[in-house]
Amino acid sequence: MTRLLDAEATAAVLPYAPLAESVGKTLARKARGLVRCPPRLSLPLPDGGVLLLMPASDDSLAVAKLITVCPANPEKGLPLIIGEVVAMRASTGERLGLLDGPEVTARRTAAASLLAAQRLAPNPDGPLLVMGAGVQAMSHAMAFCSGLGVGEVNVCSRSREKAETLAGRLRSVGVRACAVERPEDVLDRTPLIITATNSPAPVIPAGVRPDAFIAAVGSFHPDRAEIPAELVRRCHLYVDDLDAARTEAGDLILAGIDWSAVTPLERTGEPGAAHLAPQGPVLYKGVGCAALDLAAAKLAFPERS
């Protein structure tokens, strides 16, 4: 029987730390050619929206995610992201379950950033600065607190009210959090930075700490950049998917980086591996790939994978 998991049930089967571990295992298999993950199909929709179809499979499990991202939706009282992830037995095509697409997207994106921080952050204890106050901002804050033990979160958004609201939500679940007016107010003591906005222009200044780890996850458009080009060119660069990043990671594209210097997360090895140059900040750019959805499905349906 096909299991239908709503957002709450999907969240329950995808805790952040185990999901980060599943992402690591799935990416390791991808690096060995054991996961098939073609480029996602993207179709434009009215008012800047986009329809995304993202399939992936290995020898035991296959997934297909169908979602829409409509920037005008929140003003209409609708979710920004709507959709679902179908999980199937690879050998027969039998439907095993349907996961809530927005919840999977939020959690697997945050889990991939968590994995990157576990492997790459020079100073993973925090504090953490989150730029943005939406779903990804919340999921990343929760992932870093649960997976890294971060004890302090600062939230900054174009809307002070939204920043205060997110900080309040974090405090309600036991996280020490506050809203800040500008990133400059806390950057000198913040080694962990998440940018999770839809801004077309940089949202943090170039002057971050030398030991900063930045996860930029807010945009997957080639003409948008949350991170200033000057900072991008100073960073050690990592991505969730190299092929997708070449066409979608505006932060890197607009900075004119040398793509031979960009490392996919799947090649970073085990946590604690020595793969960073001695100095300089780290930038992990996530644009999303279906291998991450496959990792979520493998955690949600362990008896089938």
Side-chain angles (χ1 to χ4, degrees), residues 5-291:
L5 285 73
D6 61 12
E8 182 178 359
T10 296
V13 298
L14 299 177
Y16 290 109
L19 181 53
E21 183 178 356
S22 182
V23 167
K25 291 178 179 178
T26 301
L27 291 180
R29 289 174 56 79
K30 180 174 178 283
R32 300 197 304 271
L34 300 176
V35 170
R36 294 162 290 280
C37 180
R40 64 182 165 201
L41 178 63
S42 175
L43 294 176
L45 298 176
D47 300 323
V50 62
L51 168 66
L52 301 172
L53 175 61
M54 303 170 64
S57 68
D58 63 10
D59 289 342
S60 62
L61 202 64
V63 298
K65 181 163 76 174
L66 180 67
I67 60 170
T68 54
V69 183
C70 297
N73 272 10
E75 298 177 3
K76 303 173 184 177
L78 297 171
L80 173 68
I81 299 175
I82 299 174
E84 52 279 323
V85 176
V86 182
M88 298 156 274
R89 193 193 307 273
S91 60
T92 64
E94 295 170 89
R95 272 50 177 172
L96 303 174
L98 196 70
L99 298 166
D100 182 76
E103 193 67 38
V104 169
T105 300
R107 286 182 168 259
R108 59 77 148 154
T109 305
S113 296
L114 170 59
L115 178 69
Q118 290 172 332
R119 295 183 175 184
L120 304 168
N123 189 349
D125 297 330
L128 168 68
L129 169 64
V130 178
M131 299 298 301
V135 172
Q136 283 293 353
M138 178 68 177
S139 62
H140 274 75
M142 293 301 300
F144 277 50
C145 289
S146 63
L148 293 177
V150 169
E152 178 184 348
V153 178
N154 297 292
V155 182
C156 185
S157 174
R158 286 176 297 178
S159 165
R160 176 73 184 207
E161 181 181 0
K162 290 182 179 179
E164 294 282 6
T165 298
L166 177 55
R169 290 179 61 197
L170 290 169
R171 289 192 296 268
S172 73
V173 293
V175 175
R176 186 155 57 98
C178 68
V180 297
E181 195 69 35
R182 307 179 309 145
E184 292 88 344
D185 295 338
V186 295
L187 277 181
D188 62 342
R189 60 183 185 86
T190 303
L192 297 175
I193 303 167
I194 301 296
T195 61
T197 77
N198 61 5
S199 173
V203 296
I204 62 171
V208 302
R209 289 168 40 143
D211 64 344
F213 169 87
I214 307 162
V217 299
S219 172
F220 53 92
H221 297 283
D223 59 348
R224 290 174 173 252
E226 296 179 295
I227 312 301
E230 174 189 348
L231 175 55
V232 173
R233 290 191 285 264
R234 283 174 38 219
C235 287
H236 305 290
L237 302 175
Y238 298 84
V239 295
D240 54 351
D241 184 271
L242 187 56
D243 289 338
R246 286 179 181 274
T247 60
E248 298 178 352
D251 303 83
L252 309 187
I253 294 168
L254 296 177
I257 54 90
D258 177 3
W259 287 97
S260 68
V262 180
T263 302
L265 185 56
E266 64 200 51
R267 297 181 187 167
T268 56
E270 295 303 316
H275 40 253
L276 290 180
Q279 298 180 356
V282 175
L283 171 62
Y284 164 74
K285 175 60 182 176
V287 294
C289 73

